[in-house]
């Protein structure tokens, strides 16, 4: 099975391999695996067979191993990055290479090509080396991407906290001097900075709780829970000059949730509503039940969502409003916290007026 065979039958082998990949049920194939993965591995294998040297059967293994690592090393590493960018899983990488090698051996048998034991050994060795190198590169690239994202997130976190803390210290020094009163604008600046620090810390703690899969579900009375959220929201709404509307909750409604996670989710939604509603506006926090679910709605008067914003706003670092302060993580954390409690979160746009965020949870009696 020399490189001439693979070159001469390239299109037929690729078609056969693609058919195998497309028909695979576990793991399912993706477009990049069909279009790029199959030809790339076949090209690597052809290059190896073209350059290999077989001075004697005894030297085949050592020679082939060296050439395999040399020829496949860089290209397999690059292929791992390509596959990662295409969204393939490690399982797809492994199975994809296997499908290509199986397609080669089947096509060789159908065309009555003469294949020696050493050549089969070379083919299997190439499969092992290419798979190992590509998966290693795949995992390495994924780890690098994760580390980069985490570094960026921590950098933004430190930047936001430093800015808030610096503003708070300046306001404190001004108040300490006695030149201004605590009830004036400087006191308000200090209050906003401290609330901002509180919000960042609360969100960070929720992220830690989610990452550690810490769950302590309990029965939570909806009316009591909404009252607790109202107390915290009232201070922020008053500081912003907003009306806070919290209708009475029907007695007896309850959910089985992790209270801190749910409180973080609702708190983030309320804080966002207050932040994006202009002074003099109104924010509503409502708990009620429909035919099948318990709903917690947070309605604001932000003026409505931009086109396409509703589809992306639960992604991290999404900050499309005029006020771009904060980490842009609140909605993502709310989404994850609600999902961890077995619920779902939705947003409904009210064009020209505002929007309504709804948390839907299964009820308990």
């Amino acid at each position: 099975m020399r490189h001439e065979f693979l070159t001469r039958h390239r299109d037929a082998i690729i078609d056969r391999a693609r058919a195998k990949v497309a028909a695979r049920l576990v793991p399912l194939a993706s477009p990049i695996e069909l279009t790029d993965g199959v030809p790339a591995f076949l090209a690597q294998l052809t290059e190896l067979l073209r350059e290999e040297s077989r001075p004697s059967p005894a030297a085949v293994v050592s020679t082939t191993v060296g050439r395999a690592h040399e020829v496949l090393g860089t290209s397999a590493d690059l292929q791992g990055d390509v596959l990662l960018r295409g969204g393939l899983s490690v399982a797809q990488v492994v199975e994809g290479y296997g499908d290509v090698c199986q397609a080669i051996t089947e096509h060789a048998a159908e065309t009555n090509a003469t294949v020696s034991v050493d050549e089969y050994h070379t083919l299997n060795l190439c499969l092992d080396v290419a798979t190992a190198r590509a998966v290693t590169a795949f995992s390495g690239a994924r780890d690098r991407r994760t580390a980069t994202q985490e570094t960026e997130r921590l950098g933004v976190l430190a930047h936001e906290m430093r800015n808030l803390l610096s503003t708070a210290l300046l306001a404190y020094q001004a108040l300490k001097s006695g030149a201004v009163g605590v009830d004036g604008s400087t006191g308000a600046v200090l209050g906003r900075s401290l609330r901002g620090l509180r919000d960042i810390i609360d969100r960070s703690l929720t992220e830690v709780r989610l990452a550690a899969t810490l769950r302590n579900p309990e029965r939570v009375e909806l009316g009591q829970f909404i009252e607790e959220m109202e107390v915290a929201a009232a201070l922020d709404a008053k500081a912003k000059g907003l009306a806070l509307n919290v209708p009475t909750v029907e007695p007896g409604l309850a959910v089985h949730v992790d209270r801190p996670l749910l409180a973080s989710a609702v708190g983030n939604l309320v804080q966002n509503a207050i932040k994006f509603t202009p002074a003099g506006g109104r924010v509503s926090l409502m708990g009620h039940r429909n035919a099948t679910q318990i709903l917690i709605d947070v309605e604001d008067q932000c003026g409505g969502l931009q086109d396409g914003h509703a589809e992306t706003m639960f992604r991290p670092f999404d900050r499309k409003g005029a006020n771009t302060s904060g980490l842009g993580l609140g909605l993502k954390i709310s989404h994850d916290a609600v999902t961890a409690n077995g619920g779902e979160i939705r947003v409904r746009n009210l064009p020209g007026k505002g929007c309504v965020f709804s948390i839907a949870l299964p009820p308990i009696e």
Side-chain angles (χ1 to χ4, degrees), residues 90-154:
V90 173
Q92 287 175 318
V93 176
V94 174
E95 293 295 331
Y97 282 125
D99 289 336
V100 171
C101 278
Q102 189 176 6
I104 292 171
T105 56
E106 289 181 359
H107 188 72
E110 285 189 7
T111 57
N112 296 318
T114 301
V115 182
S116 69
V117 174
D118 287 340
E119 287 171 333
Y120 269 120
H121 178 81
T122 300
L123 184 63
N124 289 330
L125 178 61
C126 291
L127 172 62
D128 290 340
V129 173
T131 300
R133 292 300 298 266
V135 169
T136 299
F138 182 97
S139 300
R142 179 186 57 194
D143 292 343
R144 289 193 298 273
R145 173 178 291 187
T146 300
T148 299
Q149 291 175 340
E150 183 65 13
T151 300
E152 290 176 353
R153 191 191 70 80
L154 291 175

Side-chain angles (χ1 to χ4, degrees), residues 18-265:
R18 282 174 171 165
K20 286 181 174 294
V21 172
R24 194 178 63 214
L25 296 179
V26 180
L28 289 173
S30 65
I32 193 173
E33 188 177 3
L34 293 170
T35 59
D36 297 343
V38 172
F41 178 69
L42 187 59
Q44 293 167 10
L45 181 58
T46 303
E47 180 64 18
L48 174 61
L49 293 177
R50 178 182 291 112
E51 298 188 16
E52 72 166 326
S53 173
R54 298 178 181 273
S56 67
V60 166
V61 174
S62 60
T63 301
T64 304
V65 169
R67 291 301 305 148
H69 282 281
E70 179 183 345
V71 175
L72 290 174
T74 302
S75 58
D77 289 345
L78 292 174
Q79 181 67 1
D81 287 337
V82 170
L83 294 172
L84 175 61
R85 288 195 297 271
L88 269 66
S89 67
V90 173
Q92 287 175 318
V93 176
V94 174
E95 293 295 331
Y97 282 125
D99 289 336
V100 171
C101 278
Q102 189 176 6
I104 292 171
T105 56
E106 289 181 359
H107 188 72
E110 285 189 7
T111 57
N112 296 318
T114 301
V115 182
S116 69
V117 174
D118 287 340
E119 287 171 333
Y120 269 120
H121 178 81
T122 300
L123 184 63
N124 289 330
L125 178 61
C126 291
L127 172 62
D128 290 340
V129 173
T131 300
R133 292 300 298 266
V135 169
T136 299
F138 182 97
S139 300
R142 179 186 57 194
D143 292 343
R144 289 193 298 273
R145 173 178 291 187
T146 300
T148 299
Q149 291 175 340
E150 183 65 13
T151 300
E152 290 176 353
R153 191 191 70 80
L154 291 175
V156 173
L157 175 65
H159 177 74
E160 294 283 349
M161 293 188 71
R162 183 189 63 185
N163 286 347
L164 289 169
L165 183 58
S166 296
T167 302
L169 287 172
L170 290 173
Y172 168 73
Q173 291 297 331
L175 292 170
K176 186 179 178 180
S177 70
V180 295
V182 70
D183 293 328
S185 299
T186 303
V189 169
L190 176 60
R192 284 196 300 272
S193 299
L194 293 177
R195 284 193 297 273
L197 285 169
R198 175 204 63 191
D199 296 344
I200 291 177
I201 292 171
D202 285 347
R203 292 173 186 177
S204 298
L205 289 174
T206 302
E207 280 193 288
V208 171
R209 190 174 180 86
L210 286 168
T213 63
L214 298 175
R215 306 285 186 274
N216 185 26
E218 59 181 299
R219 180 186 175 91
V220 174
E221 297 290 336
L222 186 61
Q224 182 185 56
F225 177 81
I226 293 296
E227 286 180 3
E228 293 172 358
M229 301 306 301
E230 178 184 8
V231 171
L235 297 176
D236 291 339
K238 182 179 180 180
K240 181 75 179 289
L242 302 176
L244 181 63
N245 175 43
V246 185
T248 302
V249 177
E250 176 187 341
L253 298 185
V255 289
H256 191 67
V257 295
D258 181 294
R259 182 187 286 266
L261 286 183
L262 182 62
S264 176

